[in-house]
Amino acid sequence: MTNATAANGKEAAYHGFPAEDDYGYAQAIKIGNTIHVSGQLSQDDKGNMIAPAALDESGKPADFSTMAEQMRVTYANAAKILARFGATLDHVVEETLYVLDVDTAFTVAGKVRKEAYATARPRCASNLIGVARLAFPEQLVEIVFKAVLPPA
């Protein structure tokens, strides 16, 4: 896990996953008081998927029963990357959840989000978007965040 600051003032944070170099991206970019967090997912510190969906014979998720656990880990990973900039989930002003199954997401997201934000009504704009595929076949959810720190 490293942070790097460019001449243009962008500060980047990385988890250290191989995909960061393979694809060429930062987990988060801070510029000024705003932190843009790339899509977070359910990975451990080595980049291995946690609570992967079982796949059917065609390589697509066979069920969505692990979505809640994937969401929990995803929020925890977002909290870790935000902490690199002295931020918490309380600083999040907007999130977008990309999910493979909207019905399952609606069933589990309310509880998981309230746990992650530690409040009955998280104070951030939230978007829930159903998609056909995510980066990894076993992945059911990916969440993008935008956080704003108070003025210094």
Side-chain angles (χ1 to χ4, degrees):
M1 293 175 64
T2 60
N3 277 25
T5 304
N8 63 4
K10 287 184 187 177
E11 186 178 351
Y14 303 88
H15 283 306
F17 300 153
E20 294 168 350
D21 289 327
D22 296 343
Y23 184 74
Y25 75 104
Q27 292 293 335
I29 296 289
K30 178 179 178 270
I31 188 146
N33 291 346
T34 304
I35 305 165
H36 300 270
V37 180
S38 293
Q40 297 295 292
L41 49 133
S42 174
Q43 292 179 310
D44 65 17
D45 291 339
K46 293 182 178 84
N48 300 310
M49 182 72 58
I50 296 175
L55 302 178
D56 65 18
E57 61 281 346
S58 68
K60 294 184 179 179
D63 70 66
F64 303 98
S65 62
T66 61
M67 188 179 288
E69 184 58 22
Q70 283 195 21
M71 275 188 193
R72 281 186 191 91
V73 174
T74 300
Y75 278 105
N77 285 341
K80 285 179 195 174
I81 208 73
L82 287 167
R84 305 281 299 286
F85 299 107
T88 68
L89 288 173
D90 288 337
H91 295 101
V92 171
V93 295
E94 183 177 19
E95 65 178 14
T96 301
L97 291 81
Y98 296 95
V99 300
L100 292 189
D101 186 76
V102 172
D103 293 332
T104 301
F106 269 122
T107 301
V108 301
K111 180 179 182 199
V112 173
R113 291 180 69 252
K114 290 172 185 180
E115 289 171 1
Y117 287 101
T119 183
R121 187 174 280 179
R123 291 185 176 261
C124 68
S126 184
N127 310 291
L128 179 65
I129 300 171
V131 296
R133 168 97 202 273
L134 292 164
F136 300 100
E138 304 88 358
Q139 182 183 356
L140 301 175
V141 61
E142 183 166 325
I143 309 175
V144 175
F145 299 86
K146 179 178 177 182
V148 178
L149 293 168

